[in-house]
Amino acid sequence: MTPDHPRPPLPQPVIAGGPIASVLTGGPTRDRGLVADLAERRGSRKPRRNALVDVVMQGPVSPYALAILGGVEDAAWRLGVDLVLSAAGDRAGHGWLDRVGGHDTAGVLLLRTSPTADAWAWLAGRGIPAVFVDPRRKPPPEVPVVVSANRAGAKAAVAHLIGLGHERVAVITGRPGVPCGVDRLAGYRDAMAEAGLPTWSACGYFQTGLARRATLDLLNRLPEPPTAIFACSDAMAVGVYEALAERGLSIPGDVSVVGFDDAPVAAGVTPALTTVRQPWPDLGATALTTLLSGGSPALVELPTTLLTRSSTAGAAPRI
């Protein structure tokens, strides 16, 4: 995986909780020094450029995880680091731990998965560093975590709706306890509180069908429908579309809709979905450089981007 020709530079990470060194700013000489320092920290007798990094993903693999993996591969190509890919829970026991224990590893990237307490104790007991990327459960406090700025992105999405004149904005939330969903719900509440507006919510568990059902339940219990709905994922936004269509409500004429992720479906639905884009490849690249830099535990947040499409419009005047 040693580079033969230059690739364009990677973006700099935005760090929440303190600065962390970037390993890409010093060029090839700095990269070689980084790998040598890493080998020394891990107890290797002969520092080598081609260090191994384990990447663990939860199956079945989603398009989002593949996009993150692409960013990891790009950064590994630059640094001359080799990757070992494993699936979490691929067989009885901890198959990926067997592979990690079978070679000298520079560390483990956990992509959209969270190991069990026993697995984490196994890593910690052997001094193997790890970085979580978009974890599904709250990770241990002593581990670096790389995520999108979910709370800020959600707040921007809801502020967009409020700026269009919407005062009755509901939210379809993800599975309870999933960190990204918790943060997006908090961002929704932040925006609504700052505007002095009431909140309404229903849980769609990050699934299209359940989001459709949650939206229908929400419409049933409200005396009048909301004029806008923020769905905490694009998959759930599709469920919102289906529910509104069943009730004969148009988008955005009757109800504006905003999603989160910028999944391929976002631009393909009608009307095209206003959504929050996550920097998937940058999450992977930043996670690898964070792991190799040996930085202290920190929350590394990468900024999101609000993409305004056809599913949002000004609130209709109240009669």
Side-chain angles (χ1 to χ4, degrees), residues 104-126:
D104 180 23
T105 182
V108 179
L109 296 180
L110 297 156
L111 271 56
R112 309 193 86 222
T113 187
S114 298
T116 64
D118 288 344
W120 175 244
W122 187 94
L123 291 173
R126 287 158 179 78

Side-chain angles (χ1 to χ4, degrees), residues 152-161 230 257-260 262 273-278 303-309 312:
K155 182 179 179 180
V158 178
H160 165 68
L161 293 170
F230 168 54
V257 180
V258 178
F260 203 109
D262 193 30
L273 178 65
T274 294
T275 189
V276 178
R277 173 179 289 169
Q278 294 203 63
T304 59
T305 304
L306 178 65
L307 301 178
T308 305
R309 298 193 177 109
T312 53

Side-chain angles (χ1 to χ4, degrees), residues 227-256:
T227 63
I229 297 176
F230 168 54
C232 288
S233 74
D234 290 347
M236 292 195 296
V238 173
V240 173
Y241 272 45
E242 293 175 354
L244 294 176
E246 288 184 35
R247 289 302 178 86
L249 297 171
S250 67
I251 305 170
D254 294 314
V255 182
S256 287

Side-chain angles (χ1 to χ4, degrees), residues 5 15 26 41 45 49 53 76 100 116 122 149 308 318:
H5 58 277
I15 309 301
R41 291 199 306 272
R45 294 181 181 179
R49 180 171 175 80
V53 170
V100 171
T116 64
W122 187 94
T308 305
R318 303 182 70 173

